[in-house]
Amino acid sequence: MVASASELWVFAYGSLMWRPDFPFVEARPARLAGYHRSFCIISRHYRGSDERPGLVLGLDRGGVCMGRAFRVAPEHAREVLAYLRKREQISGVYREAHLPVTLLGDMIDTRMALVFLAERAHPSFIRGLSLRQQAHIIGSAKGKTGNNLDYFLSTLGILRSFGIHEPQLERLFVTLGPIRARDGRGRVLGGHVKPV
């Protein structure tokens, strides 16, 4: 079933899952076909700087991505859309699209959702980094909203809490090593990552 034009759904696959920061009336597990979650965006603002760029997630072509879909009440749709554009379009590396997502749960349904895709032509888009290179960047970068490692751990933690197994991120967690995988009080989290 396709929703009415006034209905706004937002598909979240990274920090929007654990820090949406906008009002919503419903959140559902969701699947987006044709794209996968990837550390393919260089961050010089939120999770990195010009001197030490960070690495954040984007949706790149191919595969399937499991995430969350948020339904926004019609009276909040305009303000939420403005907020998301300001948050996600700070450097222009994400391209806005409306794509069908499958809502999961007791009732399986399809809705058109706002999705922010990685723009491959943008200078901040990067591919081909090894897990070791990704770990080095994520383990040492910090931006205006915090350090890159917290972003990674929060995303992995929320995925695990939703029962979403993401092999590439699990391998990256192992590559980062137990010394870097710590919570805010310096305790090693091991296999039990919690959102920060």
Side-chain angles (χ1 to χ4, degrees), residues 111-133:
R111 293 282 192 257
M112 295 302 289
L114 174 65
V115 179
F116 290 94
L117 306 172
E119 181 55 72
R120 285 187 165 198
H122 195 279
S124 292
F125 178 83
I126 189 165
R127 292 179 65 199
L129 292 176
S130 69
L131 284 176
R132 185 179 292 274
Q133 289 170 317

Side-chain angles (χ1 to χ4, degrees), residues 18-195:
W18 47 269
R19 192 175 60 84
D21 288 347
F22 60 81
F24 59 90
V25 294
E26 182 181 2
R28 298 267 303 271
R31 179 177 62 235
L32 173 66
Y35 296 89
H36 67 282
R37 184 185 290 106
S38 173
F39 274 105
C40 62
I41 305 292
I42 295 294
S43 174
R44 291 182 171 85
H45 183 76
Y46 291 132
R47 297 295 172 167
S49 63
D50 287 332
E51 297 76 28
R52 191 177 290 270
L55 194 59
V56 294
L57 291 164
L59 284 174
D60 198 12
R61 293 189 298 237
V64 173
C65 183
M66 299 297 295
R68 301 290 278 176
F70 296 99
R71 182 168 62 89
V72 177
E75 62 269 23
H76 295 296
R78 185 175 298 214
E79 69 184 76
V80 168
L81 188 55
Y83 165 75
L84 288 172
R85 286 175 173 158
K86 182 177 179 184
R87 173 175 167 170
E88 301 296 323
Q89 301 289 27
I90 191 164
S91 69
V93 70
Y94 294 107
R95 178 170 51 89
E96 189 177 308
H98 284 81
L99 299 173
V101 298
T102 302
L103 305 178
L104 307 171
D106 294 336
M107 301 229 0
I108 297 176
D109 206 351
T110 300
R111 293 282 192 257
M112 295 302 289
L114 174 65
V115 179
F116 290 94
L117 306 172
E119 181 55 72
R120 285 187 165 198
H122 195 279
S124 292
F125 178 83
I126 189 165
R127 292 179 65 199
L129 292 176
S130 69
L131 284 176
R132 185 179 292 274
Q133 289 170 317
Q134 292 177 48
H136 175 74
I137 293 169
I138 291 168
S140 59
K142 183 176 182 179
K144 293 188 174 167
T145 57
N147 70 57
N148 209 169
L149 182 59
D150 284 347
Y151 169 90
F152 169 76
L153 293 175
S154 294
T155 302
L156 184 59
I158 201 77
L159 289 171
R160 287 176 174 177
S161 75
F162 292 148
I164 300 171
H165 180 65
E166 191 77 33
Q168 187 72 3
L169 297 190
E170 296 291 348
R171 287 191 287 272
L172 182 54
F173 179 75
V174 171
T175 304
L176 276 160
I179 299 302
R180 294 204 183 272
R182 298 177 184 272
D183 71 6
R185 292 173 293 284
R187 295 177 302 182
V188 176
L189 290 171
H192 304 289
V193 177
K194 298 175 186 174

